[in-house]
Amino acid sequence: MKVIHTDTIAAQATPPGRGGVAIVRVSGLRVKKIIPLLLQCELPPRQATYTPFYDENDNVIDEGIALFFPNPHSFTGEDVLELHGHGGPVVVDLLLQRILSLGIRLARPGEFSERAFLNGKIDLAQAEAIADLIDASSEHAARLAMRSLQGEFSREIKTLTEKVIHLRMYVEASIDFVDEEIDFLNDKNIVNSMEEIQQHLTAILQKAKQGSFLREGITAVIAGEPNVGKSSLLNCLSGKEIAIVTNVPGTTRDVLRDYILIDDMPMHIIDTAGLRTSDDIVEQEGIRRAHHEMEKADLILYVVDVNNYHSKNMKELELPEIVSSRPVIFVCNKIDLTNQTPSSDSEQGHSVVYLSAKTGDGVDLLKQRIKSLVGFKQEEQGIFLARRRHLDALHRAHAHVKDALRQLSDRKAGELAAEDLRLAQLALSEITGEFTADDLLGRIFSSFCIGK
Ligand SMILES: Nc1nc2c(ncn2[C@@H]2O[C@H](COP(=O)(O)OP(=O)(O)OP(=O)(O)O)[C@@H](O)[C@H]2O)c(=O)[nH]1
Ligand SMILES: [Mg+2]
């Protein structure tokens, strides 16, 4: 589907501020008209031309390289002009003002990518991969974003969607031709295909989940009683003196945050107020906030002082209820005081790491434990840098296929199974953007940078 946009858009594609080169990009129907006005020459397609850029009084604003990409062979699929000039904020502004005076408007964030999507140059997952590549916080994430941009994720989703469509057609045809005595409800092929699709979906979900850790990071909340060394652990993990550490119980009141990489896995770490009953109104608020953060956490690092811990059995620890409903690692801190060696164990079904936040001994073991607990693997083969919306769509597709199987095997309801397959197909096609609501598109592209 080719969408014709009547208005032509322009924006600086390079970051604002001073730099060697700045690029201004223009896309749309008016590009051909403004080239002679702006450059006083014609541009051959896709060839670099060194030329002055003129204002309305024939004064030279700047000079540099001009490139013309006639449609459809451009990023947006429209006529595109790129002007590479000097990277000074004032000169770029003058050039943009001149372009805007020629009946062109400033592009919204992500509008070039949105046009590329609407003109069928890239699908939605690829458009998102562009933003992810720009925003990548590690080499690993950047490589994965590039692979999605090249269409690897989309291809996998399309293959799966085709399998669903194929099966759906088969089921629907079987319903229509019941007279021909095709006993499709007992057709093993249908059930087998559904199970195969379900397995395929599970595998993709697994890879996508891995990728979503890489893209969005996990949130780990450090919690525990006062004075056990929570803030010391935050400082140690982040390598900065973020939190105040004192031997006064109840030092931390506010929620403190940092963002770190554990071998390329991004993690938001949050330090919280020590949990205890307190009459102090400020501390009470801090404890309330600590609970609030724990409720949202992907992982809780529950810190205990090893000196107290040893005298207790884990069962005797007075844990807040929330701790039992989240993945948790028990961090037995201050082993330097007991001369223990760092270790990583499982005790009564819980992950326990013995370390010293003061000396840093054992902190690497904690990092390894965090990675294995969230299922993070270093190898990137087959992982997709998925967004939450992709995971959500994959989960829905998975649930619909599961329902379809149930309709067929338990209730012998062929029509309902066909409907479930249709819903599974719809959920999958949201990922590549074949069926996506306009407001979702708006939300996705508005988070892009201007000029992209
Ligand atoms: N020897 C030793 N002391 C530690 C260790 N970790 C923390 N401490 C000390 O324990 C005291 C409390 O440390 P914090 O990091 O402030 O503890 P906290 O859990 O954040 O305490 P609150 O904010 O009051 O809840 C400080 O005196 C730290 O120096 C450790 O591994 N070994
Ligand atoms: Mg603290």
Side-chain angles (χ1 to χ4, degrees):
M1 152 200 64
K2 171 110 176 127
V3 182
I4 303 287
H5 292 276
T6 47
D7 45 354
T8 302
I9 53 172
Q12 181 173 351
T14 41
R18 294 170 69 236
V21 175
I23 301 175
V24 172
R25 181 144 62 175
V26 193
S27 176
L29 291 171
R30 286 187 67 77
V31 162
K32 274 200 192 102
K33 289 206 180 71
I34 68 160
I35 288 173
L37 300 171
L38 194 63
L39 309 175
Q40 301 189 359
C41 65
E42 294 296 332
L43 291 178
R46 295 176 297 281
Q47 276 182 39
T49 307
Y50 188 66
T51 166
F53 312 149
Y54 294 95
D55 71 8
E56 60 277 26
N57 301 316
D58 297 339
N59 295 318
V60 175
I61 302 170
D62 191 6
E63 53 185 17
I65 302 288
L67 282 160
F68 172 50
F69 302 92
N71 81 78
H73 305 294
S74 70
F75 173 60
T76 57
E78 304 174 326
D79 286 341
V80 167
L81 172 68
E82 270 186 15
L83 299 172
H84 301 214
H86 293 95
V90 176
V91 73
V92 173
D93 205 39
L94 285 173
L95 183 60
L96 258 178
Q97 292 304 335
R98 164 71 169 139
I99 293 169
L100 298 184
S101 75
L102 296 169
I104 288 166
R105 73 164 168 82
L106 208 55
R108 293 189 305 270
E111 200 171 0
F112 292 95
S113 305
E114 186 176 9
R115 288 189 174 193
F117 163 67
L118 293 172
N119 288 325
K121 299 292 289 187
I122 47 175
D123 66 35
L124 198 52
Q126 287 174 303
E128 288 169 318
I130 296 175
D132 289 342
L133 182 61
I134 292 171
D135 292 338
S137 59
S138 69
E139 274 180 39
H140 198 178
R143 274 200 299 272
L144 291 185
M146 194 56 221
R147 287 204 341 227
S148 285
L149 180 53
Q150 288 174 327
E152 210 170 296
F153 182 42
S154 308
R155 272 194 296 279
E156 182 113 10
I157 296 297
K158 277 184 188 138
T159 309
L160 187 59
T161 313
E162 267 153 32
K163 279 191 198 169
V164 174
I165 294 174
H166 188 77
L167 182 61
R168 196 186 136 199
M169 276 166 26
Y170 188 66
V171 172
E172 282 178 0
S174 309
I175 297 168
D176 291 344
F177 294 103
V178 272
D179 296 352
E180 295 183 14
E181 292 180 17
I182 303 173
D183 187 8
F184 86 97
L185 290 175
N186 290 319
D187 187 340
K188 270 270 163 284
N189 282 337
I190 295 189
V191 173
N192 288 347
S193 306
M194 269 191 202
E195 279 170 353
E196 196 189 303
I197 288 173
Q198 206 177 15
Q199 280 159 11
H200 195 165
L201 261 167
T202 310
I204 294 186
L205 251 172
Q206 196 54 36
K207 296 181 204 167
K209 225 181 245 163
Q210 283 286 323
S212 110
F213 291 147
L214 272 175
R215 185 178 178 276
E216 315 201 350
I218 61 152
T219 302
V221 171
I222 307 176
E225 291 175 11
N227 232 20
V228 291
K230 299 180 296 299
S231 301
S232 305
L233 183 62
L234 170 74
N235 290 349
C236 184
L237 283 168
S238 63
K240 291 174 279 199
E241 292 299 310
I242 294 177
I244 299 174
V245 168
T246 74
N247 58 5
V248 182
T251 300
T252 308
R253 306 296 184 85
D254 267 335
V255 170
L256 299 167
R257 297 163 197 279
D258 197 27
Y259 179 77
I260 62 164
L261 289 177
I262 301 182
D263 298 341
D264 269 1
M265 182 184 84
M267 185 166 93
H268 304 269
I269 13 173
I270 297 177
D271 177 27
T272 57
L275 305 168
R276 66 171 168 183
T277 316
S278 166
D279 294 332
D280 183 325
I281 169 168
V282 182
E283 195 174 351
Q284 280 173 1
E285 176 58 18
I287 294 168
R288 193 192 64 76
R289 291 183 186 200
H291 277 279
H292 182 65
E293 293 301 331
M294 279 193 273
E295 277 160 22
K296 294 188 296 178
D298 296 311
L299 170 68
I300 295 177
L301 303 177
Y302 196 84
V303 185
V304 290
D305 184 328
V306 76
N307 297 286
N308 305 332
Y309 178 73
H310 253 313
S311 57
K312 285 182 187 177
N313 186 312
M314 181 174 282
K315 282 191 191 127
E316 287 166 27
L317 281 175
E318 279 176 34
L319 298 176
E321 214 173 294
I322 179 77
V323 173
S324 55
S325 65
R326 286 277 176 286
V328 55
I329 297 177
F330 288 92
V331 177
C332 288
N333 188 29
K334 310 196 187 182
I335 57 165
D336 53 308
L337 296 178
T338 53
N339 287 325
Q340 279 173 266
T341 42
S343 62
S344 171
D345 284 317
S346 275
E347 291 174 22
Q348 293 154 33
H350 294 291
S351 298
V352 184
V353 177
Y354 289 81
L355 55 75
S356 165
K358 191 167 193 168
T359 63
D361 282 340
V363 171
D364 278 342
L365 291 177
L366 176 63
K367 290 182 180 172
Q368 298 311 321
R369 200 68 188 231
I370 293 172
K371 280 199 303 181
S372 71
L373 201 85
V374 296
F376 179 81
K377 296 191 194 74
Q378 198 66 25
E379 88 261 14
E380 59 190 52
Q381 204 51 41
I383 294 179
F384 301 119
L385 200 65
R387 297 182 164 213
R388 296 235 174 220
R389 86 171 186 91
H390 302 153
L391 287 181
D392 175 55
L394 286 168
H395 275 299
R396 273 184 289 128
H398 193 270
H400 289 310
V401 175
K402 199 170 155 195
D403 284 348
L405 254 170
R406 214 178 22 231
Q407 301 291 11
L408 217 55
S409 49
D410 297 355
R411 303 179 50 193
K412 312 285 179 214
E415 284 88 350
L416 294 179
E419 174 61 9
D420 277 321
L421 288 177
R422 190 185 70 83
L423 293 173
Q425 179 194 341
L426 218 62
L428 287 175
S429 50
E430 275 176 29
I431 296 177
T432 46
E434 279 158 63
F435 294 100
T436 308
D438 282 352
D439 63 332
L440 176 67
L441 288 185
R443 252 183 293 139
I444 291 172
F445 287 108
S446 63
S447 67
F448 282 35
C449 35
I450 291 212
K452 190 65 242 174

